[in-house]
Amino acid sequence: MSNRTTSRVLAAATALLALGAGAGCSTSAGGADPKRVDVVAAFYPLQFLAERIGGDAVRVTNLAKPGAEPHDLELNPSQVGQVSEAELIVYLKGFQPAVDDAVAQNGGDRAFDVTGVQPLLDASAGGHNHEGEEGHAEEGNGGKDPHVWLDPTRLAGIGDQLAKRLGKADPDHAADYTSRAAALRADLTTLDSEFKHGLATCQRREIVTSHAAFGYLADRYQLDQVGITGLSPDVEPSPQRLAHAIEEAKEHHATTIFFETLVSPKVAETIAGQVGAKTAVLDPIEGLAAGSDGDYLSVMRTNLRTLQTALSCS
């Protein structure tokens, strides 16, 4: 067991013990609102869905804080309490082990796993990984790519099912949830059309990225993702893999190496320096940057403009 895994297990155990010790207190860690459905979202895209579809009938708590990388989220006792007391827990099984553990302990039939709505693609979908990479094995999904929200049409499908689940939890507002999900689907359909038209004619179709998170986007819009470090953004590539990535970037005549917002750009900058390319941010939207006033739709549109510039799209 790695040190990181050991610390995760110890943190989860400590949180659960603390929760048990305070179980007699009814002052909810989540501050339950009797007039609204208490929803816990595991990370930002699921928060976005719950807030858009739930509207003022729900109270949404995001377990992952802005600016934090959500993969290695550790839950404190208060957050375990929020999971335990929530009326609905929206999560993506396999993406955040600490959340999976808390759901297994306390979720029961209140858990809504979005992978049950949209089966995950293989980690190699939308492109290819480098020899020796184990793709998503680091993130616990057994070679599956969790970044399903980067295809707006798949996110819309998850939203439709979330509306049904909210309607079961709160029948009085079921029609409202359905209506808001339909409005969100319309927004996501518009976004999908913008991507299809915006990326229809480009001089290049390869996206060389330091975090192979864009398989769904590449699959949807006929791009070819060249992942440098695999799907786990905090894994440093070996010197051999880095050298191979540099050669591949040269082979693809990459003019831009993409990195993401929540992790260091040094891998992308190293490769870009070796191949004479620029670097640019392509955001996998696992979380918003601290202080950001954007949302899923605005960040996706920023990604589209970045791609159009880097790939010389007309």
Side-chain angles (χ1 to χ4, degrees), residues 75-99:
L75 299 182
N76 61 38
S78 174
Q79 290 174 307
V80 174
Q82 289 168 346
V83 171
S84 179
E85 296 177 3
E87 292 167 78
L88 184 63
I89 307 149
V90 188
Y91 77 116
L92 194 158
K93 188 174 183 179
F95 185 57
Q96 297 161 294
V99 176

Side-chain angles (χ1 to χ4, degrees), residues 212-233:
F214 300 94
Y216 292 91
L217 189 147
D219 183 68
R220 177 70 181 166
Y221 304 112
Q222 291 79 54
L223 302 175
D224 180 21
Q225 173 181 243
V226 180
I228 296 167
T229 61
L231 284 159
S232 189

Side-chain angles (χ1 to χ4, degrees), residues 260-302:
E260 62 175 279
T261 48
L262 301 182
V263 296
S264 169
K266 63 183 180 180
V267 172
E269 289 172 347
T270 297
I271 295 172
Q274 291 292 318
V275 302
K278 296 178 294 185
T279 59
V281 171
L282 197 59
D283 195 334
I285 326 183
E286 293 175 353
L288 294 179
S292 171
D293 59 358
D295 66 1
Y296 170 85
L297 295 168
S298 67
V299 177
M300 280 291 279
R301 289 188 168 103
T302 298

